[in-house]
Amino acid sequence: VYDKAAAADSSNNPFAFTAYGALVNGTAICEGYSRAFQLLMKCVGIECTLITGSSKEQGHMWNKVKIESDWYNVDATWNDDDTYIFHTYFNITDKMIENDHEIHLDYSELSVDQLEEFDDFNIALPDCVSLKNNYGIINNSYISSSDDFAYVTTDVLTEKAESGIREAEFVFGEDCPLIFSLDGENSITDLLEKNDILRNVNRRLSRSNNISNIYISGIPGSK
């Protein structure tokens, strides 16, 4: 779990900044999550690097991983909502993560004076442009535009319900203008109601598989 006390004051739990804190003690801040993730990736032979930047106006750390010949961003911290584990920040492009993350520059882009001035920069910053191994792409739950919302959600929810699965996770694509919110115009609630998703799913299902309600959770402001 995320250690809010350590985030406020490192003396509360110095291990929260390490892989040991995350994997052994079970509490960490973003640096601990990222170092633990990097260690686990190394154990299974996946190339992985640490990335520094900021998110929600706070210093932040996450990872980039190389799968086959392509690099992807993975933010294990923001995928962990304490209650749920999401895949919002799982194998995403730079364009997607820059929706709510700022990536510190690569050291090679800075002058000598800037290197002396700045404490935060990245060393070897691979570009992440592929979506081949994105969670939404692999699970056919990637919504590439506002127009795609209705048929993608209807198809996935129907398929899941027919298989007896009562949970589905969606990803808004890098060029999709939508972000996750519960209320207001273009919120998840609004889009489900406007497109009559529940009714359309149940029309495809047998009566025994019908869904009575759709419960929504996600990471506010994310894709």
Side-chain angles (χ1 to χ4, degrees):
V1 295
Y2 189 80
D3 193 329
K4 295 179 181 178
D9 184 348
S10 61
S11 64
N12 287 321
N13 180 11
F15 287 115
F17 298 78
T18 68
Y20 186 93
L23 298 175
V24 179
N25 296 337
T27 60
I29 66 159
C30 60
E31 185 172 350
Y33 274 78
S34 301
R35 293 189 183 280
F37 188 82
Q38 184 183 38
L39 175 62
L40 295 173
M41 292 300 98
K42 183 177 181 180
C43 289
V44 296
I46 295 177
E47 191 172 347
C48 179
T49 188
L50 299 170
I51 301 298
T52 63
S54 60
S55 183
K56 299 184 179 180
E57 300 182 349
Q58 293 183 338
H60 192 44
M61 182 180 284
W62 64 96
N63 302 94
K64 290 194 177 193
V65 296
K66 187 178 183 181
I67 301 175
E68 297 169 337
S69 60
D70 298 314
W71 283 89
Y72 302 87
N73 289 281
V74 178
D75 190 337
T77 308
W78 288 121
N79 278 337
D80 182 8
D81 186 49
D82 290 347
T83 305
Y84 296 99
I85 300 297
F86 294 105
H87 296 84
T88 305
Y89 300 96
F90 184 85
N91 292 354
I92 63 175
T93 64
D94 288 336
K95 187 173 183 179
M96 291 173 79
I97 206 162
E98 285 171 354
N99 177 62
D100 50 14
H101 287 52
E102 181 179 344
I103 304 172
H104 289 151
L105 292 173
D106 187 280
Y107 82 100
S108 63
E109 299 178 52
L110 302 173
S111 66
V112 173
D113 290 340
Q114 287 176 316
L115 286 169
E116 291 177 347
E117 178 184 351
F118 297 152
D119 292 327
D120 298 313
F121 54 83
N122 288 292
I123 297 175
L125 197 60
D127 293 330
C128 300
V129 297
S130 174
L131 284 165
K132 181 180 176 182
N133 287 290
N134 174 263
Y135 183 87
I137 293 290
I138 288 175
N139 290 281
N140 298 315
S141 59
Y142 182 89
I143 300 171
S144 59
S145 69
S146 303
D147 295 336
D148 290 346
F149 181 88
Y151 78 80
V152 172
T153 53
T154 301
D155 285 352
V156 171
L157 291 174
T158 301
E159 181 183 348
K160 294 286 187 180
E162 287 176 338
S163 302
I165 300 169
R166 296 298 185 178
E167 184 173 292
E169 189 173 353
F170 298 89
V171 176
F172 287 139
E174 61 178 14
D175 293 316
C176 183
L178 302 171
I179 60 172
F180 181 86
S181 62
L182 286 171
D183 303 309
E185 187 176 2
N186 285 331
S187 67
I188 304 298
T189 308
D190 180 48
L191 292 167
L192 289 171
E193 291 177 349
K194 277 183 180 178
N195 292 286
D196 210 5
I197 301 300
L198 184 61
R199 184 188 299 273
N200 289 333
V201 169
N202 283 331
R203 282 175 177 163
R204 298 188 186 183
L205 295 172
S206 64
R207 188 175 297 275
S208 61
N209 279 332
N210 266 203
I211 301 169
S212 57
N213 291 290
I214 298 177
Y215 298 94
I216 311 164
S217 59
I219 303 170
S222 75
K223 288 192 169 296

